[in-house]
Amino acid sequence: MITGHTVVAGVVGRPVAHSLSPLLHNAWLAAAGIDGVYVPFAPDAHGFERLVQGFRGGAIRGVNVTLPFKEQALRLADRASDAARDAAAANVLVFEPDGRVVADNTDGFGLLKALDVQAPQWSADRGPVTVLGAGGAARGAAAALIRAGAPKVFLVNRTLARAEAIARQLGAKVRPLPLPHAAGAFRDSTAVINATSAGLAAEGALDVPLELTPDGCVVMDMVYKPLETPFLAQARALGRPVVDGLEMLIRQAEPSFEAFFGCYPPTEVDVRALALEALGL
């Protein structure tokens, strides 16, 4: 039941109807016995700024932000975490009672935690990592991996200039490479992470030389629909340990929940099982 004391948070994106975030957060709220609710918001392409300005003052405690608004979210914030600045994007906005908007980015945390859960034998400091893509997700992944101790991150993209721009911003540990010249990166990597949307079934599979990766190289896809993308299926066929995008989604939501509702999510509810059921798996 919604009351005058109910803490309201949500997720903002366009489209947003497919988001599993309300399922995760509301399951945690119910398990924790918190008077709160988590709802989706879908402003039009020009309505995000008006929505953020309208939430100033804390009537809404906070929102997660997804595509296409993450970069704009950072620009609208009054204060931002190092993670948000490094990623040049925010996926969390918290609305303080004094009217300030505070930005954070928990995607990097989610990525590293997913690797820790599904590939516990791997650690960032073991050696180079290859990240596929040069968009916001790739930049956030590269920044998080460097903070976690990765000695080198190969940023592989079809358009080299975009990868080079990220390398200039994040420093010498990021090595931009065009896709045709990426063989050496795959041979040297302890993990390969897809930070593009190309794993989506509608957009086809990635054409990358996963067979060049060493035994034990962890392969991760940020995409979670489908749960096993062609990219992960190829990796599994090669005997590589895999990490799926659903685990990243769940793990990035944990610190978001804490930011909105003041406590870490309860562990007794199996939100992964709920998400798999929602996905029809």
Side-chain angles (χ1 to χ4, degrees):
M1 182 177 68
I2 305 298
T3 73
H5 301 289
T6 300
V7 179
V8 181
V11 58
V12 184
R14 190 169 183 89
V16 78
H18 68 285
S19 175
L20 292 175
S21 294
L23 174 69
L24 304 179
H25 285 267
N26 286 314
W28 283 328
L29 286 168
I34 293 173
D35 183 4
V37 65
Y38 185 99
V39 296
F41 300 96
D44 63 33
H46 305 291
F48 181 71
E49 181 172 359
R50 292 193 298 272
L51 180 141
V52 170
Q53 302 304 353
F55 287 165
R56 284 183 182 271
I60 303 296
R61 180 59 182 141
V63 291
N64 286 117
V65 183
T66 187
L67 296 174
F69 301 121
K70 288 185 176 185
E71 293 180 0
Q72 190 179 4
L74 180 62
R75 293 195 298 269
L76 292 172
D78 302 298
R79 193 172 76 242
S81 67
D82 290 343
R85 286 192 294 268
D86 285 347
N91 76 323
V92 176
L93 293 178
V94 173
F95 302 103
E96 300 288 8
D98 63 6
R100 290 181 302 167
V101 179
V102 180
D104 195 8
N105 193 306
T106 64
D107 285 336
F109 172 90
L111 179 146
L112 294 170
K113 189 70 179 292
L115 284 161
D116 185 53
V117 170
Q118 293 192 335
Q121 75 282 7
W122 182 87
S123 62
D125 60 1
R126 282 181 56 195
V129 179
T130 291
V131 175
L132 305 176
R139 174 174 171 148
L145 290 161
I146 291 168
R147 285 197 305 272
K152 188 185 303 180
V153 175
F154 296 111
L155 201 59
V156 175
N157 197 52
R158 290 186 176 90
T159 305
L160 181 60
R162 296 188 65 185
E164 289 174 332
I166 293 174
R168 286 193 295 271
Q169 293 159 346
L170 294 183
K173 288 186 177 181
V174 178
R175 305 289 180 84
L177 286 171
L179 186 55
H181 298 160
F186 280 84
R187 291 190 184 97
D188 290 344
S189 288
T190 64
V192 176
I193 299 169
N194 177 31
T196 77
S197 61
L200 292 167
E203 298 188 20
L206 284 165
D207 183 17
V208 295
L210 274 183
E211 68 278 2
L212 298 181
T213 55
D215 291 342
C217 176
V218 175
V219 177
M220 179 178 180
D221 201 325
M222 292 187 184
V223 171
Y224 67 87
K225 289 183 179 180
L227 186 65
E228 177 140 314
T229 62
F231 181 66
L232 289 188
Q234 180 187 0
R236 200 182 297 277
L238 291 167
R240 307 294 185 260
V242 301
V243 177
D244 61 58
L246 179 58
E247 196 65 33
M248 178 177 169
L249 176 76
I250 292 168
R251 299 305 170 176
Q252 66 78 30
E254 293 172 343
S256 301
F257 184 92
E258 184 177 29
F260 302 148
F261 301 109
C263 64
Y264 219 68
T267 58
E268 63 267 24
V269 56
D270 187 350
V271 291
R272 184 176 174 91
L274 294 175
L276 289 172
E277 182 180 0
L279 291 170
L281 300 173

